[in-house]
Amino acid sequence: MEKRDSQPGGKNPEKETIKTALGKAMAICAKSEQCSNDIRSKLESWGLSAPDSISVIDKLIRENFINDQRYAESFVRDKYRHNKWGKLKIAAHLRSKNLDPEVISNALSLLDDDQYRQMIADTLNAHRKLIKSKNKYDLKGKLLRFGLSKGFESQIIYDILNEID
């Protein structure tokens, strides 16, 4: 007796799962910018094995659905403009996505240093109006902690706070 596939039409269920996952991943990438790490975790949460996830991600990269450099540049622009994050906080978030350090530094280099410094000064001045302090020392301490929490470099914060005097 001849052995038959248990699936009608002789389809391989594993290939169908990969094809479905590829389609879903393409739809996600078409809607918003994604990095390879985010898609990898989504694929694995859908039950794909690591080798199958890698093959799907490779196909997405070849067809330009995923581009980590483009993702990093978009992430930097968005967090800088909309959230007023500093370079340190942005870089930390990108590192948590397992992006290449060179990709991160290239994306951060797109920020203009003069505009970046002005944004920090504006952010600190806006926050200065909202806080209460006993004296200048207390005010500078609160502004320093706020600036550090936003991911600004401490040396730039010090320089700006010394200009406030």
Side-chain angles (χ1 to χ4, degrees), residues 2-160:
E2 208 176 294
K3 190 175 182 182
R4 292 184 178 217
D5 288 337
S6 61
Q7 294 292 328
K11 291 183 180 178
N12 185 345
E14 190 174 313
K15 284 188 179 181
E16 287 298 312
T17 305
I18 293 171
K19 196 174 181 181
T20 304
L22 179 64
K24 287 167 79 174
M26 284 179 169
I28 289 170
C29 293
K31 288 180 186 174
S32 66
E33 199 65 58
Q34 302 288 323
C35 70
S36 54
N37 189 53
D38 289 345
I39 296 299
R40 180 177 294 111
S41 62
K42 278 195 190 333
L43 292 171
E44 289 173 1
S45 75
W46 296 338
L48 247 58
S49 65
D52 290 340
S53 296
I54 290 170
S55 68
V56 168
I57 289 171
D58 287 344
K59 184 159 179 68
L60 291 171
I61 290 171
R62 276 195 313 275
E63 295 186 14
N64 209 21
F65 279 94
I66 297 176
N67 182 327
D68 284 343
Q69 183 66 48
R70 188 177 64 211
Y71 172 82
E73 290 171 2
S74 173
F75 188 89
V76 167
R77 272 193 312 274
D78 287 349
K79 297 304 178 186
Y80 170 73
R81 287 186 185 147
H82 301 298
N83 297 34
K84 306 282 190 241
W85 282 6
K87 290 180 181 180
L88 299 176
K89 190 169 186 173
I90 293 171
H93 275 72
L94 289 174
R95 278 193 304 275
S96 75
K97 304 252 184 206
N98 294 327
L99 293 178
D100 187 69
E102 188 174 324
V103 169
I104 295 171
S105 65
N106 288 344
L108 288 172
S109 69
L110 297 176
L111 297 178
D112 181 59
D113 289 336
D114 293 333
Q115 288 179 349
Y116 179 68
R117 187 178 170 81
Q118 187 58 48
M119 185 270 294
I120 294 172
D122 294 344
T123 304
L124 291 176
N125 283 327
H127 187 68
R128 181 182 188 182
K129 296 173 185 172
L130 302 174
I131 58 176
K132 295 181 175 130
S133 61
K134 300 172 190 163
N135 52 40
K136 280 190 177 186
Y137 180 76
D138 187 40
L139 173 69
K140 284 185 177 186
K142 289 180 179 183
L143 288 174
L144 176 65
R145 282 189 296 281
F146 173 74
L148 292 173
S149 75
K150 294 290 268 182
F152 303 139
E153 294 87 337
S154 59
Q155 189 57 48
I156 297 174
I157 298 171
Y158 291 138
D159 292 344
I160 292 171

